[in-house]
Amino acid sequence: MIKLYWSPRSRSFSAIWLMEETGLPYERVLTDITTGAQKAPEFLAINPMGKVPALTDGDAALGESAAICAYIADRYPQTRLAPDVNDPLRAKYLQWLFFSPSCIEPALIELFTKIEVPSSTAAWGSATQVFDLLDASLQKGPWILGDKFSAADITIGAGLNFAVRLFKMVPPRPSFDAYIARCVERPAFQRAEKIAAG
């Protein structure tokens, strides 16, 4: 049985959304970060970083939302959430799958803290570059890979939902609003929102 370790109102949302999209049976294990449950030795054995989400699947254990998305999409290909390893689209899928943690999240920290990092040394370039690229890419839609919804849309969609819709850290743009609306319309997204609210 797949076990997803999560906490309400946290970065667990994307992993919950992923699991709801798969249709696979899974158990949600509440790991309430407000009580410090993520620092318990039994949880640290699953994710030594002491963060949610984390996932176990038999003997496999991992943390990090994008890694969980990659693992589940590859381990369970019947979910059709990732292009096959021989599909040329796989390259773009991997790029976008990891774009949220490697570019969107650092760009949001840049905006929130107002710390200026030279774009030549910042791995994400700049917040402007990140959101301009997303804008241009999402105009092609309806999904980040075109017609096919994938786990990459879960990481990108969750990141934009957080940045634009929930916390208004990034100004809305027509492509963002339309993409977020398509994500929100998905029944799995709606179920995940209710679960993640606690």
Side-chain angles (χ1 to χ4, degrees), residues 138-153:
L138 291 173
Q139 288 178 30
K140 300 169 188 171
W143 303 109
I144 197 69
L145 297 180
D147 291 332
K148 181 172 173 24
F149 179 85
S150 72
D153 289 296

Side-chain angles (χ1 to χ4, degrees), residues 110-175:
E110 175 189 330
L111 293 173
F112 181 73
T113 62
K114 297 181 177 37
I115 294 174
E116 292 187 27
V117 180
S119 62
S120 60
T121 58
W124 64 94
S126 70
T128 300
Q129 183 182 5
V130 166
F131 294 109
D132 285 352
L133 175 61
L134 270 174
D135 188 12
S137 300
L138 291 173
Q139 288 178 30
K140 300 169 188 171
W143 303 109
I144 197 69
L145 297 180
D147 291 332
K148 181 172 173 24
F149 179 85
S150 72
D153 289 296
I154 293 172
T155 62
I156 297 292
L160 277 180
N161 183 58
F162 177 88
V164 177
R165 179 175 167 240
L166 297 179
F167 291 95
K168 300 179 181 8
M169 297 173 74
V170 173
R173 300 185 190 192
S175 70

Side-chain angles (χ1 to χ4, degrees), residues 6-21:
W6 73 290
S7 189
R9 296 168 299 284
S10 73
R11 294 175 70 234
S12 301
F13 173 76
S14 56
I16 296 169
W17 179 14
L18 168 82
M19 293 309 302
E20 290 296 315
E21 287 283 355

Side-chain angles (χ1 to χ4, degrees), residues 64-117:
E64 302 303 328
S65 296
I68 291 169
C69 286
Y71 172 82
I72 291 292
D74 285 349
R75 173 79 174 84
Y76 298 95
Q78 69 270 28
T79 62
R80 302 174 56 91
L81 288 172
D84 183 78
V85 293
N86 296 313
D87 186 333
L89 196 57
R90 177 79 175 188
K92 284 294 180 197
Y93 160 76
L94 290 172
Q95 174 184 320
W96 288 115
L97 181 66
F98 294 102
F99 191 82
S100 186
S102 62
C103 294
I104 294 176
E105 291 179 19
L108 291 177
I109 292 168
E110 175 189 330
L111 293 173
F112 181 73
T113 62
K114 297 181 177 37
I115 294 174
E116 292 187 27
V117 180

